[in-house]
Amino acid sequence: MDKRRIVRRLLTGQGVNGFGDGLWFSIWAIYLTQIRHIPAGNMGLAMGIGGLVGLLAAVPIGVAAERRGPREVLCTVIVLRGLAMVAYVFVGGFWSLLVVTTFFSAVQSSGVGVRVTLVYGLMPAEDRVRVLAQGRVVQHIAYAAGAGGAMLVLASGEPAVFVAAVLIDALALFLTAALTMIVPPVAPVPRERRSSGTQALRDLPYVAIMGTTAVLSLCWALLATGLPLWIAQDTRAPLWSAGLAVVVSSVAIAVFQVRVSRRAVGIPEAVRASRISALALAACCAIFAVAAWTASPVLATCVIIAGMGAHVVGELYYVSSRWGLSLGLMAKNAEGQYQGVTASTEAAAVAMGPALVTALVTGLSQAGWMILAALFLLSTAPVAALARRAARDGFRAGAVDHRSAQSVKP
């Protein structure tokens, strides 16, 4: 099949999936508390526990992708996620929500890694990061459209409309699965070339790189949780500036993600991208802290916007470096489980992010922002050395030849 047709089908699937995600993640909190009548405390606990337990499935499902083929496994994972979405219609308390959320989180976090494995198998080395970046652009645009639909659902307040929205998301997932099945298959790893199902977990330099750089994913909790609380409690900036920050981030990702990702195709470039991300996010934290110093709403808003500029740079380079490092340092014939490790480390940081950022920003005020800045900077300090160690440990079939990692300077 022509490469362009394959890319179009991959992007169409991600667009449909993104629309459903934008719809669901914009209404789920109101749906569960006001429509399903689950107390907010119980909801938060069930979602947190379910999300953490669900992380355990990423590596086993990655191994399955190697042995059954990433297209087939990804399709199965998406269908299971659609069934989990249907199950949300019937949750009625803590335990049922915990069961459904654990199942949903397991297939959601696993699907991220399997999709990268599929792109890896379908695309030549020079196109992989670019296609992943294009997918993220399409997904964010569709996500915004889904969030727009969620505004109508929230405005109606009708239980039937909420249920319909949940079922529309399930339908979007089933359609995504169908679109996934019309891309060419990627052959499973032959039995004689299969590695141990725990190889990626035993590759300590790789696990360390993915674990340390995953700290940079706190940028999302910073934007979704920390900044709105900071604006409301400690600055004179208007609350709508938090919404403006989300808009600025979404537009910037759509415009610049592909361009920035071209700068992180090789391992040395990906290491540099992680450093740029850490510096930009640290600067973002410092700028946000300064917003509390002024009594002028206009000046405080300008400071918030300046901080968002740094945040956008940090997020763009984080995502790009993550792709470059994970694709460049994977061991041959074990791509699925390596991407499972990548997905699970990021998902763990994302799951813990809101609580950590909230505690630092609301509990320690400006000092909390400085601690976050230090965490970002420290997270990338060992990456260059770990990349060299990983490259020395064996052949890595990634975006570039593994020997390019030797040129990474500390």
Side-chain angles (χ1 to χ4, degrees):
M1 184 184 294
D2 178 72
K3 184 172 67 175
R4 292 183 180 179
R5 291 178 64 190
I6 296 173
V7 172
R8 280 198 298 269
R9 292 179 180 184
L10 287 170
L11 298 184
T12 301
Q14 282 196 265
V16 174
N17 189 12
F19 176 84
D21 283 351
L23 182 61
W24 168 245
F25 289 113
S26 298
I27 68 168
W28 68 266
I30 301 301
Y31 169 74
L32 292 174
T33 56
Q34 297 189 12
I35 306 301
R36 304 311 304 171
H37 304 295
I38 298 173
N42 289 354
M43 178 196 71
L45 182 61
M47 298 296 276
I49 295 173
L52 291 174
V53 174
L55 300 178
L56 301 176
V59 174
I61 291 179
V63 173
E66 298 167 11
R67 301 183 179 183
R68 300 293 180 183
R71 185 192 69 172
E72 289 71 15
V73 172
L74 180 59
C75 181
T76 302
V77 163
I78 295 171
V79 168
L80 291 175
R81 190 177 166 206
L83 293 174
M85 186 58 59
V86 173
Y88 275 119
V89 174
F90 303 101
V91 297
F94 173 81
W95 292 108
S96 60
L97 177 60
L98 177 61
V99 170
V100 173
T101 297
T102 300
F103 184 70
F104 180 86
S105 298
V107 291
Q108 181 189 24
S109 60
S110 303
V112 174
V114 178
R115 183 178 295 280
V116 174
T117 304
L118 177 62
V119 172
Y120 176 91
L122 289 173
M123 294 289 113
E126 64 272 14
D127 291 332
R128 290 166 185 157
V129 172
R130 177 180 58 80
V131 172
L132 290 170
Q134 289 174 336
R136 189 164 190 254
V137 169
V138 169
Q139 194 168 24
H140 269 75
I141 294 172
Y143 192 98
M151 293 174 62
L152 300 177
V153 176
L154 294 168
S156 74
E158 294 293 329
V161 176
F162 275 88
V163 171
V166 175
L167 294 177
I168 287 172
D169 186 16
L171 182 61
L173 288 165
F174 295 141
L175 179 56
T176 301
L179 290 166
T180 300
M181 284 303 295
I182 63 175
V183 302
V186 173
V189 177
R191 184 181 298 274
E192 64 274 12
R193 287 161 48 195
R194 290 176 185 170
S195 59
S196 165
T198 61
Q199 177 179 337
L201 293 173
R202 290 184 286 107
D203 189 343
L204 297 184
Y206 185 90
V207 174
I209 289 173
M210 292 300 106
T212 57
T213 55
V215 173
L216 297 174
S217 69
L218 291 176
C219 65
W220 295 320
L222 188 155
L223 180 62
T225 306
L227 181 59
L229 292 173
W230 180 247
I231 289 172
Q233 298 177 13
D234 293 272
T235 79
R236 295 296 181 91
L239 286 176
W240 55 259
S241 60
L244 176 63
V246 175
V247 172
V248 169
S249 177
S250 298
V251 171
I253 288 167
V255 174
F256 295 112
Q257 186 68 75
V258 174
R259 187 179 309 173
V260 171
S261 296
R262 296 191 188 119
R263 303 174 184 176
V265 173
I267 297 171
E269 293 81 4
V271 171
R272 285 195 291 271
S274 71
R275 291 170 175 165
I276 293 172
S277 173
L279 287 170
L281 291 173
C284 161
C285 291
I287 294 170
F288 284 159
V290 171
W293 293 358
T294 176
S296 166
V298 174
L299 185 55
T301 302
C302 291
V303 173
I304 294 296
I305 293 173
M308 271 310 303
H311 184 280
V312 164
V313 173
E315 181 177 351
L316 289 168
Y317 276 91
Y318 161 65
V319 172
S320 301
S321 69
R322 192 80 169 171
W323 288 329
L325 289 169
S326 67
L327 293 177
L329 294 173
M330 292 190 302
K332 190 173 179 61
N333 298 323
E335 293 87 353
Q337 59 180 288
Y338 272 78
Q339 286 303 318
V341 169
T342 302
S344 61
T345 53
E346 182 174 274
V350 169
M352 295 183 290
L356 175 62
V357 170
T358 298
L360 290 174
V361 170
T362 62
L364 299 177
S365 189
Q366 291 168 322
W369 285 112
M370 294 301 100
I371 292 173
L372 279 171
L375 283 175
F376 288 134
L377 293 173
L378 290 173
S379 69
T380 57
V383 171
L386 289 170
R388 290 194 301 274
R389 170 69 182 278
R392 285 197 300 266
D393 282 353
F395 178 73
R396 310 280 166 171
V400 296
D401 186 88
H402 73 284
R403 288 168 295 189
S404 63
Q406 303 296 339
S407 65
V408 177
K409 297 180 181 180

